[in-house]
Amino acid sequence: MGQEITTDHFTEQDIQVFLQRLQRETSELETWFADRVFSTRSPVAGYEMEAWLIDQNADPSPSNDAFLKTANSSLYTAELAQFNIELNADPASIQSNFLSEFEKDFQQNWNYCKKVADDIGCRVLSTGILQTLQNKHLSMANVSNLLRYKALNEQVLLQRQGRALELKINGRQSLKSTHHNVMLEAAATSLQIHLQAPQELAHHYYNASILISAPMIAISANSPFMFAKDLWDETRIPVFEQAVDVGGYNGAAQGPIHRVSFGTDYARHSLMECFTENVQHFPVLLPMCFTEDTSLMQHVSLHNGTIWRWNRPLIGYDTDGTPHLRIEHRVIPAGPSVVDNIANMAFYFGLVQFYAMHETPPNEQLHFSQARDNFYTSAQHGLDNKVSWPGCDRCDMRHLILHQLIDNAQAGLESLKLDADDIEYYLNIIQSRAEHKQTGSHWQREFVKLHGNDMQRLLETYYHNQQTGEPVHGWDFEIYR
């Protein structure tokens, strides 16, 4: 969905031409896998983080046009809503003091965003779901000025035959609301981690990402509230899954195939299986036709970009033009602080390396249906969840993280030859978060328990704490006025 398009209206002929080119490129992609043409450069990492622009009253500020013009940098892009932006990082090799360098780069990036926001009279905030968001903010009046988002809205409603989107979440409280456009998607903001891997290992990293999604979402949870209702530990998950509720062919949105989902299975032999599934099970959502040059994979990429697996395989290109394979790990919310974001990345890189390179492949350690159930129950219950795990039938999530997964992540990071001090520093943040049982979601709930369900007061105090740069496990509950 990062590709811009040149129209928001499509004909049946557009769909047929797009399908022909998509099928041609998919066949070419099969040849690439068979001939092993992908980059062997590994491991390489990157990230995207979606953030909020808020005004002085802590409400969403539809100002991303002004922000992007003032920032004047290719590292920042628009998101669906005018009150969201996306920060990007240049890819970096995972080696030596990569983590601390990533933090330094992230912090410089974030400081610049704060300055730009201040220059245009608003503020920038990192959180999973904006605490002060209201239904009235999710209107097409606030959609970003890019054709792809208007086209997405039109095509989703077309495939739904005009039926409204119904949001239904049962958590600590219940929420039901009706939406007549896709702007609900803008409510959920994420930290998306990218990991490039060589072809022969890429499906193992993909499967390992699936396996570890449950502990990743439990330890990083930062989205308990939506429209002032206390729902899941990570409410982004059901919000996003229902925001673009269209599925596969023949009405499969009501069946097992959904455009936003945990996926349907591990990749058994290669990531090509995901791209084959894309063509076989999902109708074209944005039939924008590009060049007929199959080597650019533009139609494959656009189609793949409208299928939002929580772990998504991507085709990209090295600087010399060699195609490469990446995993996009999409489960983590935008974090309470920069250092929390880096600690989440460190935990992911360590765990995914450990399980991808384990002598028993990830897909043989835990059945896919168990990994999927772990993910959704962990999104709902966070560190209080109990999961199935290799060698353990009903593991307490917090105990699992503290007594096994942190050690596994350390072993994974050590095998990548990262700096020992960096490994200790960032994994200690994960450990402290688990020991104190204070994720971003836990902190928000405790604040409300102490001070009442005032979302503006919650957000202002959250924002104040974020400015300190301290990790969330050390935040107190004093009201910031």
mmCIF file of all heavy atoms in Angstrom, residues 236-268:
data_model
loop_
_atom_site.group_PDB
_atom_site.id
_atom_site.type_symbol
_atom_site.label_atom_id
_atom_site.label_comp_id
_atom_site.label_asym_id
_atom_site.label_seq_id
_atom_site.Cartn_x
_atom_site.Cartn_y
_atom_site.Cartn_z
ATOM 1 N N ARG A 236 -5.669 -2.968 19.039
ATOM 2 C CA ARG A 236 -5.382 -2.769 17.617
ATOM 3 C C ARG A 236 -5.740 -3.993 16.784
ATOM 4 O O ARG A 236 -6.146 -3.868 15.623
ATOM 5 C CB ARG A 236 -3.878 -2.524 17.392
ATOM 6 C CG ARG A 236 -3.351 -1.178 17.662
ATOM 7 C CD ARG A 236 -1.827 -1.164 17.575
ATOM 8 N NE ARG A 236 -1.298 -1.874 16.430
ATOM 9 C CZ ARG A 236 -0.746 -3.084 16.486
ATOM 10 N NH1 ARG A 236 -0.701 -3.770 17.629
ATOM 11 N NH2 ARG A 236 -0.260 -3.633 15.400
ATOM 12 N N ILE A 237 -5.543 -5.162 17.337
ATOM 13 C CA ILE A 237 -5.691 -6.386 16.536
ATOM 14 C C ILE A 237 -7.133 -6.549 16.033
ATOM 15 O O ILE A 237 -7.357 -6.629 14.818
ATOM 16 C CB ILE A 237 -5.209 -7.620 17.334
ATOM 17 C CG1 ILE A 237 -3.755 -7.447 17.774
ATOM 18 C CG2 ILE A 237 -5.387 -8.889 16.505
ATOM 19 C CD1 ILE A 237 -2.763 -7.121 16.675
ATOM 20 N N PRO A 238 -8.151 -6.584 16.903
ATOM 21 C CA PRO A 238 -9.512 -6.695 16.368
ATOM 22 C C PRO A 238 -9.951 -5.452 15.607
ATOM 23 O O PRO A 238 -10.753 -5.554 14.671
ATOM 24 C CB PRO A 238 -10.370 -6.923 17.618
ATOM 25 C CG PRO A 238 -9.569 -6.377 18.758
ATOM 26 C CD PRO A 238 -8.141 -6.637 18.391
ATOM 27 N N VAL A 239 -9.452 -4.274 15.978
ATOM 28 C CA VAL A 239 -9.834 -3.055 15.251
ATOM 29 C C VAL A 239 -9.391 -3.152 13.800
ATOM 30 O O VAL A 239 -10.183 -2.940 12.866
ATOM 31 C CB VAL A 239 -9.233 -1.794 15.909
ATOM 32 C CG1 VAL A 239 -9.385 -0.581 14.998
ATOM 33 C CG2 VAL A 239 -9.922 -1.520 17.246
ATOM 34 N N PHE A 240 -8.124 -3.473 13.572
ATOM 35 C CA PHE A 240 -7.618 -3.507 12.201
ATOM 36 C C PHE A 240 -8.249 -4.649 11.409
ATOM 37 O O PHE A 240 -8.559 -4.504 10.221
ATOM 38 C CB PHE A 240 -6.092 -3.636 12.216
ATOM 39 C CG PHE A 240 -5.449 -3.421 10.870
ATOM 40 C CD1 PHE A 240 -5.965 -2.518 9.956
ATOM 41 C CD2 PHE A 240 -4.301 -4.116 10.514
ATOM 42 C CE1 PHE A 240 -5.367 -2.316 8.728
ATOM 43 C CE2 PHE A 240 -3.699 -3.917 9.285
ATOM 44 C CZ PHE A 240 -4.234 -3.025 8.388
ATOM 45 N N GLU A 241 -8.473 -5.780 12.051
ATOM 46 C CA GLU A 241 -9.061 -6.910 11.326
ATOM 47 C C GLU A 241 -10.488 -6.607 10.868
ATOM 48 O O GLU A 241 -10.935 -7.113 9.840
ATOM 49 C CB GLU A 241 -9.028 -8.177 12.188
ATOM 50 C CG GLU A 241 -7.613 -8.704 12.388
ATOM 51 C CD GLU A 241 -7.567 -10.167 12.788
ATOM 52 O OE1 GLU A 241 -8.634 -10.750 13.075
ATOM 53 O OE2 GLU A 241 -6.451 -10.720 12.811
ATOM 54 N N GLN A 242 -11.197 -5.774 11.617
ATOM 55 C CA GLN A 242 -12.568 -5.449 11.228
ATOM 56 C C GLN A 242 -12.659 -4.175 10.383
ATOM 57 O O GLN A 242 -13.703 -3.882 9.819
ATOM 58 C CB GLN A 242 -13.430 -5.314 12.483
ATOM 59 C CG GLN A 242 -13.565 -6.629 13.257
ATOM 60 C CD GLN A 242 -14.347 -6.488 14.547
ATOM 61 O OE1 GLN A 242 -15.476 -6.020 14.560
ATOM 62 N NE2 GLN A 242 -13.744 -6.900 15.652
ATOM 63 N N ALA A 243 -11.555 -3.432 10.298
ATOM 64 C CA ALA A 243 -11.574 -2.159 9.572
ATOM 65 C C ALA A 243 -11.603 -2.352 8.066
ATOM 66 O O ALA A 243 -12.117 -1.501 7.335
ATOM 67 C CB ALA A 243 -10.349 -1.322 9.963
ATOM 68 N N VAL A 244 -11.029 -3.458 7.589
ATOM 69 C CA VAL A 244 -11.021 -3.750 6.146
ATOM 70 C C VAL A 244 -11.576 -5.159 5.980
ATOM 71 O O VAL A 244 -10.892 -6.070 5.537
ATOM 72 C CB VAL A 244 -9.595 -3.646 5.550
ATOM 73 C CG1 VAL A 244 -9.647 -3.624 4.023
ATOM 74 C CG2 VAL A 244 -8.887 -2.387 6.048
ATOM 75 N N ASP A 245 -12.820 -5.330 6.360
ATOM 76 C CA ASP A 245 -13.419 -6.651 6.433
ATOM 77 C C ASP A 245 -13.926 -7.103 5.072
ATOM 78 O O ASP A 245 -15.118 -7.150 4.802
ATOM 79 C CB ASP A 245 -14.563 -6.652 7.463
ATOM 80 C CG ASP A 245 -15.079 -8.054 7.742
ATOM 81 O OD1 ASP A 245 -14.395 -9.017 7.375
ATOM 82 O OD2 ASP A 245 -16.163 -8.176 8.333
ATOM 83 N N VAL A 246 -12.968 -7.393 4.199
ATOM 84 C CA VAL A 246 -13.272 -8.057 2.933
ATOM 85 C C VAL A 246 -12.294 -9.217 2.806
ATOM 86 O O VAL A 246 -11.182 -9.154 3.301
ATOM 87 C CB VAL A 246 -13.139 -7.121 1.712
ATOM 88 C CG1 VAL A 246 -14.270 -6.126 1.678
ATOM 89 C CG2 VAL A 246 -11.793 -6.403 1.705
ATOM 90 N N GLY A 247 -12.715 -10.268 2.151
ATOM 91 C CA GLY A 247 -11.879 -11.458 2.127
ATOM 92 C C GLY A 247 -11.628 -11.980 0.744
ATOM 93 O O GLY A 247 -11.392 -11.230 -0.198
ATOM 94 N N GLY A 248 -11.687 -13.295 0.615
ATOM 95 C CA GLY A 248 -11.347 -13.943 -0.637
ATOM 96 C C GLY A 248 -12.520 -14.013 -1.600
ATOM 97 O O GLY A 248 -13.538 -13.344 -1.441
ATOM 98 N N TYR A 249 -12.348 -14.844 -2.600
ATOM 99 C CA TYR A 249 -13.377 -14.999 -3.628
ATOM 100 C C TYR A 249 -14.646 -15.632 -3.048
ATOM 101 O O TYR A 249 -14.611 -16.336 -2.046
ATOM 102 C CB TYR A 249 -12.849 -15.879 -4.761
ATOM 103 C CG TYR A 249 -11.799 -15.202 -5.606
ATOM 104 C CD1 TYR A 249 -10.455 -15.531 -5.474
ATOM 105 C CD2 TYR A 249 -12.152 -14.207 -6.525
ATOM 106 C CE1 TYR A 249 -9.492 -14.906 -6.250
ATOM 107 C CE2 TYR A 249 -11.198 -13.578 -7.297
ATOM 108 C CZ TYR A 249 -9.863 -13.926 -7.157
ATOM 109 O OH TYR A 249 -8.918 -13.304 -7.916
ATOM 110 N N ASN A 250 -15.762 -15.355 -3.715
ATOM 111 C CA ASN A 250 -17.050 -15.983 -3.388
ATOM 112 C C ASN A 250 -17.471 -15.772 -1.942
ATOM 113 O O ASN A 250 -17.904 -16.678 -1.249
ATOM 114 C CB ASN A 250 -17.003 -17.489 -3.688
ATOM 115 C CG ASN A 250 -16.717 -17.762 -5.144
ATOM 116 O OD1 ASN A 250 -17.224 -17.061 -6.028
ATOM 117 N ND2 ASN A 250 -15.888 -18.764 -5.410
ATOM 118 N N GLY A 251 -17.289 -14.532 -1.474
ATOM 119 C CA GLY A 251 -17.772 -14.196 -0.141
ATOM 120 C C GLY A 251 -16.973 -14.810 0.986
ATOM 121 O O GLY A 251 -17.480 -14.975 2.093
ATOM 122 N N ALA A 252 -15.705 -15.132 0.719
ATOM 123 C CA ALA A 252 -14.907 -15.803 1.749
ATOM 124 C C ALA A 252 -14.546 -14.903 2.919
ATOM 125 O O ALA A 252 -13.925 -15.352 3.862
ATOM 126 C CB ALA A 252 -13.624 -16.369 1.133
ATOM 127 N N ALA A 253 -14.943 -13.637 2.860
ATOM 128 C CA ALA A 253 -14.738 -12.773 4.030
ATOM 129 C C ALA A 253 -15.483 -13.321 5.238
ATOM 130 O O ALA A 253 -15.121 -13.062 6.375
ATOM 131 C CB ALA A 253 -15.200 -11.344 3.740
ATOM 132 N N GLN A 254 -16.531 -14.071 4.985
ATOM 133 C CA GLN A 254 -17.295 -14.652 6.085
ATOM 134 C C GLN A 254 -16.761 -16.035 6.467
ATOM 135 O O GLN A 254 -17.277 -16.680 7.349
ATOM 136 C CB GLN A 254 -18.778 -14.766 5.685
ATOM 137 C CG GLN A 254 -19.379 -13.465 5.155
ATOM 138 C CD GLN A 254 -19.147 -12.289 6.071
ATOM 139 O OE1 GLN A 254 -19.313 -12.413 7.272
ATOM 140 N NE2 GLN A 254 -18.761 -11.149 5.516
ATOM 141 N N GLY A 255 -15.717 -16.494 5.776
ATOM 142 C CA GLY A 255 -15.135 -17.800 6.057
ATOM 143 C C GLY A 255 -13.718 -17.670 6.579
ATOM 144 O O GLY A 255 -13.389 -16.704 7.263
ATOM 145 N N PRO A 256 -12.844 -18.620 6.261
ATOM 146 C CA PRO A 256 -11.511 -18.649 6.871
ATOM 147 C C PRO A 256 -10.494 -17.711 6.225
ATOM 148 O O PRO A 256 -9.425 -17.504 6.791
ATOM 149 C CB PRO A 256 -11.087 -20.110 6.664
ATOM 150 C CG PRO A 256 -11.802 -20.527 5.417
ATOM 151 C CD PRO A 256 -13.121 -19.803 5.437
ATOM 152 N N ILE A 257 -10.789 -17.162 5.057
ATOM 153 C CA ILE A 257 -9.803 -16.344 4.333
ATOM 154 C C ILE A 257 -10.154 -14.871 4.495
ATOM 155 O O ILE A 257 -11.184 -14.414 4.000
ATOM 156 C CB ILE A 257 -9.764 -16.705 2.829
ATOM 157 C CG1 ILE A 257 -9.460 -18.194 2.641
ATOM 158 C CG2 ILE A 257 -8.743 -15.854 2.119
ATOM 159 C CD1 ILE A 257 -8.068 -18.611 3.047
ATOM 160 N N HIS A 258 -9.322 -14.124 5.200
ATOM 161 C CA HIS A 258 -9.552 -12.700 5.427
ATOM 162 C C HIS A 258 -8.353 -11.907 4.944
ATOM 163 O O HIS A 258 -7.219 -12.374 4.983
ATOM 164 C CB HIS A 258 -9.773 -12.418 6.916
ATOM 165 C CG HIS A 258 -10.991 -13.059 7.482
ATOM 166 N ND1 HIS A 258 -12.164 -12.377 7.699
ATOM 167 C CD2 HIS A 258 -11.237 -14.343 7.866
ATOM 168 C CE1 HIS A 258 -13.070 -13.192 8.204
ATOM 169 N NE2 HIS A 258 -12.535 -14.398 8.314
ATOM 170 N N ARG A 259 -8.599 -10.676 4.530
ATOM 171 C CA ARG A 259 -7.499 -9.843 4.035
ATOM 172 C C ARG A 259 -6.602 -9.366 5.167
ATOM 173 O O ARG A 259 -5.421 -9.108 4.959
ATOM 174 C CB ARG A 259 -8.054 -8.638 3.264
ATOM 175 C CG ARG A 259 -8.703 -9.023 1.948
ATOM 176 C CD ARG A 259 -8.878 -7.825 1.036
ATOM 177 N NE ARG A 259 -7.779 -7.707 0.114
ATOM 178 C CZ ARG A 259 -7.813 -8.065 -1.171
ATOM 179 N NH1 ARG A 259 -8.920 -8.586 -1.679
ATOM 180 N NH2 ARG A 259 -6.766 -7.916 -1.939
ATOM 181 N N VAL A 260 -7.160 -9.195 6.356
ATOM 182 C CA VAL A 260 -6.340 -8.899 7.533
ATOM 183 C C VAL A 260 -6.458 -10.103 8.453
ATOM 184 O O VAL A 260 -7.539 -10.404 8.951
ATOM 185 C CB VAL A 260 -6.822 -7.633 8.271
ATOM 186 C CG1 VAL A 260 -5.844 -7.289 9.402
ATOM 187 C CG2 VAL A 260 -6.956 -6.455 7.319
ATOM 188 N N SER A 261 -5.337 -10.801 8.678
ATOM 189 C CA SER A 261 -5.435 -12.043 9.438
ATOM 190 C C SER A 261 -4.065 -12.499 9.900
ATOM 191 O O SER A 261 -3.026 -11.932 9.541
ATOM 192 C CB SER A 261 -6.068 -13.151 8.578
ATOM 193 O OG SER A 261 -5.121 -13.651 7.644
ATOM 194 N N PHE A 262 -4.069 -13.548 10.670
ATOM 195 C CA PHE A 262 -2.842 -14.190 11.107
ATOM 196 C C PHE A 262 -2.278 -15.088 10.018
ATOM 197 O O PHE A 262 -1.207 -15.661 10.172
ATOM 198 C CB PHE A 262 -3.116 -15.001 12.382
ATOM 199 C CG PHE A 262 -1.873 -15.406 13.122
ATOM 200 C CD1 PHE A 262 -1.032 -14.448 13.681
ATOM 201 C CD2 PHE A 262 -1.544 -16.747 13.267
ATOM 202 C CE1 PHE A 262 0.116 -14.822 14.370
ATOM 203 C CE2 PHE A 262 -0.395 -17.129 13.962
ATOM 204 C CZ PHE A 262 0.434 -16.166 14.505
ATOM 205 N N GLY A 263 -2.997 -15.201 8.900
ATOM 206 C CA GLY A 263 -2.588 -16.107 7.825
ATOM 207 C C GLY A 263 -3.305 -17.433 7.939
ATOM 208 O O GLY A 263 -4.137 -17.655 8.830
ATOM 209 N N THR A 264 -2.973 -18.334 7.039
ATOM 210 C CA THR A 264 -3.665 -19.627 6.988
ATOM 211 C C THR A 264 -2.783 -20.800 7.363
ATOM 212 O O THR A 264 -3.288 -21.876 7.669
ATOM 213 C CB THR A 264 -4.231 -19.874 5.573
ATOM 214 O OG1 THR A 264 -3.156 -19.794 4.629
ATOM 215 C CG2 THR A 264 -5.291 -18.836 5.223
ATOM 216 N N ASP A 265 -1.457 -20.606 7.339
ATOM 217 C CA ASP A 265 -0.551 -21.705 7.681
ATOM 218 C C ASP A 265 0.881 -21.193 7.684
ATOM 219 O O ASP A 265 1.160 -20.066 7.246
ATOM 220 C CB ASP A 265 -0.686 -22.846 6.668
ATOM 221 C CG ASP A 265 -0.239 -24.199 7.222
ATOM 222 O OD1 ASP A 265 0.345 -24.228 8.331
ATOM 223 O OD2 ASP A 265 -0.477 -25.216 6.548
ATOM 224 N N TYR A 266 1.780 -22.039 8.167
ATOM 225 C CA TYR A 266 3.200 -21.785 7.975
ATOM 226 C C TYR A 266 3.545 -21.925 6.484
ATOM 227 O O TYR A 266 2.776 -22.522 5.713
ATOM 228 C CB TYR A 266 4.036 -22.815 8.742
ATOM 229 C CG TYR A 266 3.944 -22.757 10.249
ATOM 230 C CD1 TYR A 266 3.362 -23.811 10.966
ATOM 231 C CD2 TYR A 266 4.469 -21.697 10.965
ATOM 232 C CE1 TYR A 266 3.308 -23.797 12.358
ATOM 233 C CE2 TYR A 266 4.414 -21.661 12.352
ATOM 234 C CZ TYR A 266 3.836 -22.711 13.043
ATOM 235 O OH TYR A 266 3.787 -22.684 14.417
ATOM 236 N N ALA A 267 4.691 -21.405 6.093
ATOM 237 C CA ALA A 267 5.237 -21.665 4.757
ATOM 238 C C ALA A 267 6.037 -22.962 4.848
ATOM 239 O O ALA A 267 7.012 -23.043 5.594
ATOM 240 C CB ALA A 267 6.124 -20.516 4.308
ATOM 241 N N ARG A 268 5.615 -23.983 4.123
ATOM 242 C CA ARG A 268 6.226 -25.297 4.277
ATOM 243 C C ARG A 268 7.578 -25.415 3.576
ATOM 244 O O ARG A 268 8.493 -26.065 4.080
ATOM 245 C CB ARG A 268 5.276 -26.373 3.748
ATOM 246 C CG ARG A 268 3.937 -26.402 4.478
ATOM 247 C CD ARG A 268 4.093 -26.827 5.926
ATOM 248 N NE ARG A 268 2.841 -26.675 6.684
ATOM 249 C CZ ARG A 268 2.699 -27.063 7.946
ATOM 250 N NH1 ARG A 268 3.717 -27.592 8.595
ATOM 251 N NH2 ARG A 268 1.546 -26.883 8.565
#
